[in-house]
Amino acid sequence: MAQENIFASTKKLGFGLMRLPLLNPSDATSIDLEQVKKMVDIFLAKGFTYFDTAIMYHAMKSQSAVKEVLTSRHPRDRFTLATKLHCGFFRSLEERDQRFQEQLQQTGVEYFDYYLLHDMSTDHYPIYTKFDCFNWLKQKKAQGLVRHIGFSYHDNAALLDKILTEHPEMEFVQLQLNYLDWESPSVQSRKCYEVCEKHGKPVVVMEPVRGGTLANVPPAVSALFQAHRPDLSVPSWAIRFAASQPNVKVVLSGMSTLEQMADNAGYMEDFQPLDTEELGIVQQAVETIRASLAIPCTGCSYCTPGCPRKIAIPKYFALYNIEKMEENNGAIFHTQGMYYDRLTQLFGKASACIGCGQCEGICPQHLPIIQYLKDVAKQFE
């Protein structure tokens, strides 16, 4: 049960240092440090402590920004800091160790409170295993350089179960979790969350607002939320949904403005989980959003058993729908292509369709699946 206590003194809102305000919107390195300092001060003043960064955030400048806005300005016991090692940044044991030392230097700390293997997945798990990263993390913890070890995850629930079974030493998991992905056949937020519950691993949530998508919902959804709680912002419903899951300990928000910081800190300072009525409203919102999607697939999966190319049709359509929704909302960062690539390691690509028509013949929605698969292939391949 020790894992349950590693976030014991942490309020549920975390500051994700991935979408910081910029002086030049077209230059990810031009972080508005003065504005971020004000945001950090508000965050700490409200009693929040959890900061999350990584090597590649803000074109490799996020960790350096941490030193300027946080670690050089506030006592070490006022905050907790999480960062990550991505397998794309080392090709040897020596480079692995070098990256870690660089992270300590860049962030200006002597140890990390939380350290994650970044983006664990079908393709990355063998790499982390090859370079003995799990034992390496245990050693860093024993040396006092890392206090708690875990990994971030973008893949299916079955693989997550396998990894946690093989590596019970991992203390927590960072998951993509939000009300739109909760029942997604491709992202599998709920299923992955339940795997973490099964293994007794607390969850840190990333992408609770879907990169801004759930802050820019259809007008009908916005009206639904406002009618019930006019005092709350639209994105607050997404963050509160994630935070309402009992095993979620921290919800990361990539805040880009002082206004976003003030809004999030306001309703999360004394967090109250969604009640039964509010959960029902969120479900109505999900149904309304899905009804407005580009491909009106219900995910029944009647089409998949007879597919000669084993194409994961509903899973691909779900990813395509969210991708188009995020494009329409002007989102910059997308994860759907990553999920698509990983699914194609298990299933046939959309472009593998031979146009046999068996799927269209059995589809209860009578969708032009062959054409839609061409759209998916064009989008992701």
Side-chain angles (χ1 to χ4, degrees):
M1 299 299 290
Q3 292 91 342
E4 295 182 1
N5 298 321
I6 70 173
F7 299 99
S9 61
T10 306
K11 287 192 174 184
K12 277 201 168 185
L13 180 65
F15 193 169
L17 304 172
M18 180 181 173
R19 297 184 176 95
L20 298 172
L22 300 174
L23 296 172
N24 178 358
S26 61
D27 180 5
T29 68
S30 66
I31 300 170
D32 186 344
L33 294 173
E34 293 308 310
Q35 185 174 175
V36 179
K37 288 177 183 178
K38 295 177 183 178
M39 296 168 72
V40 166
D41 293 348
I42 292 172
F43 190 74
L44 292 173
K46 293 289 186 179
F48 303 104
T49 59
Y50 193 98
F51 294 83
D52 173 89
T53 184
I55 293 174
M56 70 276 286
Y57 293 173
H58 277 280
M60 316 287 281
K61 294 298 182 181
S62 178
Q63 292 184 146
S64 299
V66 167
K67 186 174 184 178
E68 294 196 49
V69 303
L70 175 65
T71 65
S72 66
R73 300 176 61 245
H74 292 280
R76 187 65 180 88
D77 61 359
R78 288 286 310 281
F79 62 86
T80 55
L81 181 62
T83 194
K84 314 173 189 75
L85 177 72
H86 194 286
C87 62
F89 288 88
F90 63 90
R91 287 292 180 269
S92 67
L93 299 179
E94 292 74 21
E95 284 187 345
R96 180 198 63 185
D97 295 339
Q98 182 181 347
R99 295 292 89 78
F100 185 84
Q101 292 302 318
E102 289 170 352
Q103 289 177 295
L104 289 173
Q105 181 179 11
Q106 288 171 358
T107 56
V109 296
E110 295 180 351
Y111 67 90
F112 295 111
D113 299 276
Y114 304 94
Y115 198 87
L116 302 86
L117 298 177
H118 200 171
D119 192 15
M120 192 69 64
S121 59
T122 303
D123 45 349
H124 293 163
Y125 184 39
I127 299 175
Y128 288 122
T129 301
K130 174 184 176 182
F131 288 99
D132 199 29
C133 288
F134 294 93
N135 285 323
W136 176 75
L137 272 189
K138 289 168 62 178
Q139 293 167 5
K140 295 297 182 190
K141 183 179 177 182
Q143 295 165 356
L145 296 172
V146 172
R147 291 196 167 175
H148 302 291
I149 58 177
F151 58 89
S152 62
Y153 190 76
H154 289 282
D155 216 314
N156 65 79
L159 177 62
L160 179 58
D161 190 27
K162 171 182 168 67
I163 294 171
L164 290 177
T165 299
E166 295 177 354
H167 293 284
E169 71 275 15
M170 294 290 100
E171 297 177 88
F172 67 101
V173 180
Q174 186 166 307
L175 292 177
Q176 178 169 316
L177 190 157
N178 55 71
Y179 64 72
L180 200 56
D181 288 327
W182 187 242
E183 297 293 351
S184 166
S186 44
V187 178
Q188 299 186 348
S189 284
R190 177 181 59 78
K191 290 182 178 180
C192 287
Y193 172 83
E194 290 173 350
V195 168
C196 291
E197 280 193 314
K198 168 187 169 183
H199 288 271
K201 307 300 181 184
V203 170
V204 174
V205 168
M206 56 184 162
E207 299 297 339
V209 192
R210 255 311 192 150
T213 292
L214 300 183
N216 298 286
V217 295
V221 174
S222 179
L224 181 67
F225 290 155
Q226 293 297 308
H228 184 73
R229 287 290 301 271
D231 57 315
L232 291 177
S233 64
V234 168
S236 74
W237 287 80
I239 290 177
R240 290 173 64 231
F241 172 84
S244 294
Q245 311 310 317
N247 194 40
V248 166
K249 306 306 178 184
V250 179
V251 178
L252 298 174
S253 178
M255 293 170 275
S256 304
T257 65
L258 281 165
E259 291 75 18
Q260 290 175 4
M261 173 62 74
D263 179 42
N264 287 345
Y267 62 80
M268 290 297 289
E269 185 176 8
D270 183 23
F271 170 69
Q272 298 297 320
L274 296 176
D275 59 30
T276 302
E277 183 180 6
E278 289 174 321
L279 288 170
I281 290 171
V282 168
Q283 184 56 40
Q284 291 180 54
V286 171
E287 293 169 0
T288 301
I289 292 171
R290 286 178 177 166
S292 67
L293 296 174
I295 301 178
C297 172
T298 63
C300 70
S301 296
Y302 291 177
C303 55
T304 54
C307 177
R309 294 304 178 96
K310 295 182 171 57
I311 301 171
I313 298 168
K315 296 179 188 290
Y316 294 168
F317 287 175
L319 292 175
Y320 180 86
N321 279 332
I322 301 301
E323 184 78 1
K324 287 300 180 183
M325 183 177 174
E326 291 187 352
E327 285 182 356
N328 293 337
N329 288 335
I332 298 174
F333 179 76
H334 306 264
T335 60
Q336 286 71 238
M338 178 170 57
Y339 277 103
Y340 178 80
D341 288 342
R342 285 166 185 169
L343 283 170
T344 60
Q345 297 181 41
L346 303 173
F347 304 98
K349 292 184 176 183
S351 60
C353 175
I354 58 175
C356 68
Q358 78 82 27
C359 54
E360 293 188 356
I362 200 170
C363 177
Q365 308 301 320
H366 307 293
L367 301 179
I369 294 175
I370 296 171
Q371 179 55 51
Y372 283 148
L373 285 173
K374 293 178 181 178
D375 297 337
V376 170
K378 182 179 180 181
Q379 183 73 38
F380 294 123
E381 297 179 35

